[in-house]
Amino acid sequence: MRAFTYQRAQSPAEAAAAAQRNPGARFIAGGTNLLDLMKLEIETPQHLIDVNGLALDKIEPTPGGGLRIGALVRNTDLAADQRVRRDYAVLSRALLAGASAQLRNKATTAGNLLQRTRCPYFYDTNQPCNKRQPGSGCSAIGGYSRNHAILGASESCIATHPSDMAVAMQLLDATVETVKADGVTRTIPIADFHRLPGNTPHIEHALMPGELITAVTLPKPLGGTHVYRKVRDRASYAFALVSVAAVVLPDGSGRVALGGVAHKPWRVPAADASMPQGAKAVAEQLLAGARPSAESAFKVPLIQRTLASVLADVKKG
Ligand SMILES: Cc1cc2nc3c(=O)[nH]c(=O)nc-3n(C[C@H](O)[C@H](O)[C@H](O)COP(=O)(O)OP(=O)(O)OC[C@H]3O[C@@H](n4cnc5c(N)ncnc54)[C@H](O)[C@@H]3O)c2cc1C
Ligand code: SF4
């Protein structure tokens, strides 16, 4: 691990000012992803700004009937919150499907959104990887690609986003609140937060350098039945091969989002609109333009079957 300096920030403004003074600094929250990346020298910040002292650990109702989740709310606390379990059950279920209890006790809302891909070549500094080292090539294309993207990928990168929570946030139309390094605040709709790889796979989200997430806001509850179904190689402590998040209303309308298939959680307006027509129609819309490799081709029927199973279970009640 490379040497770095460290400070504890006491307020979002202080964290933002520290980020402005130290270009290339990183915020550290639970540290469950960042520290691993630093040990492998994939991330080499010269300065760490510890944000755990910021009072961003509350879950509060919004005037619009939604919930404002502080950036530092731990995954365990968010999953267990009674309002989340009652009104945003898909979020609670997605969180509980992720990582392990110990990790969820440390992992934060902001850190979870910003966790980096699990592509094995990204973690292997002996291999070319455009995300880790822009311009070096993509080892997964033509290499091991079983866990990789089948939608929205590019010639530069076929990595997936590993977060379960982010899939539920996408489904719920969450909004990310931030403060920039110059102290100016802004809000970013979650649909615009994560990026597709294009020819700049190292740029993964809409944050500017030094921009701090302060909260994630959920709009008022949708009602209906909430499901998060994660399919993985072993029953726990594994990232999704694919996942399906869905909210189904009593009249059969609803929303659906996929995890494990793209560089960002995957949601398609036409798929939501075809919910009343059933799983086959929804899958057709979600998978339009899918370009799997020979190794990841199994994800197409896996999604079709998982969707069919999820929607059949909701019907059965
Ligand atoms: C073995 C293992 C298994 C896992 N399994 C799963 C799984 O199945 N599903 C899943 O979804 N996740 C899984 N995870 C990932 C885990 O959920 C993430 O590591 C965790 O959510 C990251 O949160 P953190 O607070 O620890 O982030 P950190 O590691 O502290 O930070 C991550 C990134 O976010 C940035 N950051 C943190 N807070 C802020 C902020 N407020 N504003 C701006 N930037 C910020 C940091 O600078 C860093 O770049 C697993 C992790 C491990 C180690
Ligand atoms: S898929 Fe993306 S992260 Fe993986 S090797 Fe290729 S460029 Fe790197």
Side-chain angles (χ1 to χ4, degrees):
M1 190 190 269
R2 304 254 181 100
F4 58 89
T5 50
Y6 169 88
Q7 81 175 90
R8 288 196 179 100
Q10 302 301 332
S11 69
E14 190 189 329
Q20 194 164 45
R21 275 196 311 275
N22 297 279
R26 285 277 186 280
F27 300 117
I28 182 161
T32 60
N33 191 216
L34 182 60
L35 289 177
D36 283 351
L37 294 167
M38 287 173 65
K39 286 181 207 161
L40 294 166
E41 298 193 0
I42 294 163
E43 297 254 16
T44 52
Q46 290 180 353
H47 187 67
L48 283 188
I49 304 164
D50 187 333
V51 294
N52 286 287
L54 311 186
L56 299 175
D57 56 354
K58 312 269 182 312
I59 306 174
E60 295 162 320
T62 65
L67 273 189
R68 185 170 185 273
I69 302 158
L72 285 163
V73 172
R74 306 288 156 177
N75 288 181
T76 298
D77 297 331
L78 186 56
D81 185 275
Q82 287 304 315
R83 295 158 295 185
V84 174
R85 292 181 55 171
R86 185 187 63 223
D87 297 330
Y88 307 97
V90 65
L91 176 58
S92 179
R93 288 178 186 145
L95 283 158
L96 293 174
S100 64
Q102 285 152 315
L103 283 159
R104 293 193 296 268
N105 287 343
K106 288 297 285 177
T108 61
T109 305
N112 191 310
L113 282 181
L114 293 172
Q115 64 176 290
R116 305 203 66 192
T117 187
R118 293 284 159 172
C119 171
Y121 301 108
F122 176 69
Y123 285 82
D124 183 347
T125 50
N126 294 313
Q127 302 289 334
C129 168
N130 286 324
K131 187 183 279 299
R132 180 170 26 77
Q133 197 181 343
S136 61
C138 172
S139 300
I141 297 176
Y144 171 83
S145 57
R146 177 174 180 268
N147 290 338
H148 288 72
I150 60 169
L151 289 156
S154 71
E155 297 306 313
S156 298
C157 179
I158 57 170
T160 55
H161 196 278
S163 168
D164 292 293
M165 185 196 79
V167 183
M169 293 289 196
Q170 186 77 234
L171 188 81
L172 295 168
D173 281 340
T175 308
V176 181
E177 295 178 22
T178 72
V179 55
K180 289 197 275 186
D182 60 6
V184 174
T185 59
R186 66 170 175 149
T187 57
I188 308 167
I190 193 89
D192 302 332
F193 186 77
H194 294 107
R195 294 165 49 113
L196 291 178
N199 55 12
T200 53
H202 57 293
I203 306 175
E204 296 171 348
H205 48 71
L207 295 182
M208 320 266 288
E211 189 167 2
L212 176 79
I213 297 178
T214 49
V216 176
T217 301
L218 301 177
K220 67 177 193 236
L222 294 165
T225 305
H226 290 215
V227 186
Y228 188 77
R229 183 82 51 89
K230 176 173 176 178
V231 185
R232 45 190 154 172
D233 280 329
R234 51 171 191 245
S236 74
Y237 206 31
F239 289 92
L241 291 168
V242 305
S243 68
V244 172
V247 170
V248 186
L249 299 174
D251 65 0
S253 67
R255 299 176 179 188
V256 62
L258 300 177
V261 295
H263 204 248
K264 59 189 282 188
W266 197 252
R267 188 154 165 230
V268 175
D272 290 356
S274 58
M275 286 285 278
Q277 291 148 45
K280 198 163 170 244
V282 177
E284 234 168 70
Q285 296 296 341
L286 283 169
L287 293 167
R291 285 182 56 204
S293 68
E295 285 187 353
S296 61
F298 76 98
K299 288 191 177 187
V300 171
L302 189 57
I303 289 161
Q304 290 164 335
R305 290 176 195 151
T306 308
L307 256 172
S309 158
V310 162
L311 297 186
D313 285 355
V314 171
K315 249 192 201 161
K316 275 190 242 152

